[in-house]
Amino acid sequence: MTETIKILMIDDHPMIIEGYQNTLLYTKKAHQELKIDIANNCDEAIRFMNKSVDLDYPYDMLFVDISLPPSSDGSMSSGEDLAEYARQYLPKAKIIILTMFSESFRIHNIIKNIDPEGFLIKSDLTSNELASAFQAVLHNPPFYSGTVNSHIRKTIVSDVVIDDKNRKILYLLSQGIKTKNLASHLDISLSAVEKRKKQLKELFDIQDGQDETLLEEARKKGFV
């Protein structure tokens, strides 16, 4: 019996989409029929999703790149926004996130906010892994690529527990943002930033008080 699988692929690089599409069509099971739509930006993706809901023919799976041009009305700025939209309007669709971002802060946020059935870092990706991810997400999710699994393992075994705001402080520091500018990124006062940095240095047992030493320890434990 034929299994029809309706897929929406969202990426702003046509050659990458073509590669994904060819891999799935070449490696699909004999009984699977793939119906694939392609969106190159947020506006196209929203139109496809809305149309599938209106026609009562929703997507079974979405492949979503994180880095996308924002929508024309400014309501969507990335694939993360699209994935959250899909969670609301296509609740049964399985979501596979594909991204070049491999920082722990980004991985943590995507897992927390979207909880994707598949999460692949593009630098990990091979044709075989994409094919395996597709079948696993269809029948036995989740499927995470090596970098994502490494992040999860590190944070699970770490004896350090930090909240989202402290994670963001570490992430911003790792991006070269100066302490004096952190407050504007976090919507808290500079004194609150300093207090949190002090707590982080105590948590990670930083003796020399240096931000670089803090970041080095945070990287070892999978927080950056």
Side-chain angles (χ1 to χ4, degrees):
M1 186 176 174
T2 301
E3 178 188 14
T4 301
I5 304 158
K6 193 175 183 195
I7 300 167
L8 177 60
M9 292 185 171
I10 309 166
D11 196 299
D12 60 339
H13 294 89
M15 285 185 66
I16 290 177
I17 286 269
E18 187 177 344
Y20 296 160
Q21 191 173 8
N22 289 341
T23 295
L24 295 193
L25 291 171
Y26 182 72
T27 60
K28 72 180 180 64
K29 307 296 185 187
H31 68 281
Q32 292 175 334
E33 179 187 2
L34 309 187
K35 293 187 177 295
I36 301 174
D37 290 326
I38 292 170
N40 295 127
N41 54 56
C42 290
D43 288 327
E44 288 179 8
I46 292 295
R47 279 198 296 272
F48 273 119
M49 283 192 260
N50 289 346
K51 185 178 177 183
S52 78
V53 173
D54 291 341
L55 296 176
D56 197 24
Y57 189 26
Y59 290 104
D60 301 296
M61 187 177 296
L62 280 73
F63 288 78
V64 185
D65 183 29
I66 291 297
S67 295
L68 292 167
S71 60
S72 54
D73 65 1
S75 64
M76 303 277 168
S77 61
S78 70
E80 285 181 74
D81 293 334
L82 285 177
E84 290 183 32
Y85 185 87
R87 281 286 185 238
Q88 184 175 354
Y89 293 100
L90 296 165
K92 293 183 179 178
K94 295 179 170 72
I95 295 174
I96 296 181
I97 296 292
L98 301 110
T99 181
M100 289 298 296
F101 296 123
S102 58
E103 300 96 337
S104 290
F105 175 76
R106 298 300 295 271
I107 291 173
H108 172 81
N109 269 15
I110 288 167
I111 291 173
K112 181 182 175 187
N113 296 332
I114 300 166
D115 190 22
E117 284 76 15
F119 194 168
L120 308 174
I121 305 299
K122 289 184 179 181
S123 57
D124 295 339
L125 202 57
T126 63
S127 295
N128 285 340
E129 179 145 288
L130 183 65
S132 296
F134 174 62
Q135 297 298 336
V137 166
L138 267 180
H139 304 296
N140 189 30
F143 184 99
Y144 297 154
S145 67
T147 299
V148 179
N149 278 323
S150 176
H151 159 77
I152 292 170
R153 279 196 303 271
K154 282 182 178 178
T155 52
I156 286 173
V157 302
S158 172
D159 55 358
V160 176
V161 178
I162 61 175
D163 65 17
D164 286 346
K165 197 142 278 190
N166 282 353
R167 279 181 182 272
K168 191 161 189 181
I169 286 174
L170 290 170
Y171 173 69
L172 292 169
L173 287 173
S174 76
Q175 299 301 301
I177 306 296
K178 303 292 185 190
T179 297
K180 65 181 180 181
N181 297 323
L182 288 177
S184 61
H185 289 271
L186 296 160
D187 197 28
I188 59 176
S189 67
L190 183 56
S191 63
V193 169
E194 295 284 7
K195 184 177 179 181
R196 282 179 171 272
K197 277 184 66 181
K198 185 175 181 231
Q199 290 170 344
L200 283 167
K201 286 172 182 175
E202 288 171 358
L203 273 172
F204 287 101
D205 194 25
I206 305 305
Q207 301 298 322
D208 64 9
Q210 298 297 311
D211 288 353
E212 268 311 311
T213 311
L214 171 63
L215 290 173
E216 187 179 332
E217 286 302 311
R219 285 188 186 99
K220 285 179 188 175
K221 294 185 183 294
F223 289 99
V224 178

